[in-house]
Amino acid sequence: MSNPRAGWSQGDRALAAGKLMLAWVALLWLLEVVDVATGHALDGFGVTPRDASELVDVVPSSFIHFGFAHLAANTVPLLVLGFLAALAGLRRFLLVCALIIVVDGLGVWLIAPDHTNTAGASGVIFGLFGFLLVSGFVERRPWGVLAGVLVAAVWGGSILAGLAPTQSGVSWQGHLLGLLAGVAAAFVFRRDPAAPPALTR
């Protein structure tokens, strides 16, 4: 039985990736509208560390934000980095995101400071940055390397700033763990390296 996706063109992949990321961001904005309309009832889905009952919030916390300004700051990088990562395949992209979300959420639960509540898509953003940064090198694919270099040039400064432990109200732990999870995902879900050209004479 043939694989119907085997014949997908680059345009098909780009369209699917774009639709997925627009739907993801639309969901985040809808959730924030609901949060505001309910007096911020959804903020409780953030992760409070080392409380066993909070483990159920490890995944939902990546979809909740503390206000529209928080969400707006995450929207563009999530759209762009998610789109670039999804171009290589939606199934792998979803697996990468699942690994980032779970590892980042569990890590925050383990090491975040007491009496904090951590939520937002920034862990996913840092994870996608790490994934894009190294996956091209891991797989020895020139276009992937180029994408990693461009991503580093555009967002590298912001990523480094987000890792600084001196920013009040910012979970540098969540950022760092997301970044490390994204790098790990590049190895865990790597595709076969591009075959070298045949030697002829």
Side-chain angles (χ1 to χ4, degrees), residues 134-141 145 183 186-187 190-193:
V134 305
S135 62
F137 293 96
V138 170
E139 298 171 1
R140 299 202 298 269
R141 296 179 186 273
V145 172
V183 171
F187 288 90
R190 67 183 179 275
R191 297 172 295 178
D192 292 333

Side-chain angles (χ1 to χ4, degrees), residues 115-149:
H115 312 299
T116 57
N117 183 19
T118 302
S122 57
V124 177
I125 292 168
F126 276 68
L128 291 174
F129 175 88
F131 174 78
L132 289 168
L133 188 65
V134 305
S135 62
F137 293 96
V138 170
E139 298 171 1
R140 299 202 298 269
R141 296 179 186 273
W143 285 111
V145 172
L146 178 60
V149 170

Side-chain angles (χ1 to χ4, degrees), residues 5-200:
R5 296 194 176 191
W8 273 26
S9 68
Q10 288 299 320
D12 293 332
R13 289 178 181 274
L15 182 60
K19 287 181 177 179
L20 175 61
M21 293 315 303
L22 287 174
W24 188 333
V25 168
L27 173 62
L28 297 185
W29 280 88
L30 175 61
L31 288 172
E32 188 55 31
V33 168
V34 171
D35 185 44
V36 171
T38 57
H40 300 286
L42 300 185
D43 287 355
F45 287 97
V47 173
T48 300
R50 293 169 296 283
D51 179 344
S53 66
E54 290 290 306
L55 288 171
V56 297
D57 294 332
V58 162
V59 173
S61 64
S62 292
F63 297 86
I64 304 302
H65 289 81
F66 300 136
F68 288 112
H70 183 202
L71 175 54
N74 283 338
T75 294
V76 172
L78 180 62
L79 268 175
V80 176
L81 297 178
F83 173 77
L84 291 174
L87 284 176
L90 298 187
R91 180 177 177 276
R92 185 173 76 145
F93 170 73
L94 293 175
L95 290 172
V96 167
C97 288
L99 186 148
I100 292 169
I101 288 170
V102 172
V103 171
D104 185 53
L106 288 175
V108 166
W109 184 85
L110 282 170
I111 70 171
D114 291 332
H115 312 299
T116 57
N117 183 19
T118 302
S122 57
V124 177
I125 292 168
F126 276 68
L128 291 174
F129 175 88
F131 174 78
L132 289 168
L133 188 65
V134 305
S135 62
F137 293 96
V138 170
E139 298 171 1
R140 299 202 298 269
R141 296 179 186 273
W143 285 111
V145 172
L146 178 60
V149 170
L150 291 175
V151 163
V154 174
W155 274 288
S158 298
I159 293 296
L160 289 175
L163 297 176
T166 55
Q167 296 188 68
S168 176
V170 174
S171 175
W172 66 267
Q173 296 93 344
H175 293 172
L176 176 60
L177 291 163
L179 179 66
L180 294 176
V183 171
F187 288 90
V188 173
F189 299 113
R190 67 183 179 275
R191 297 172 295 178
D192 292 333
L199 298 177
T200 60

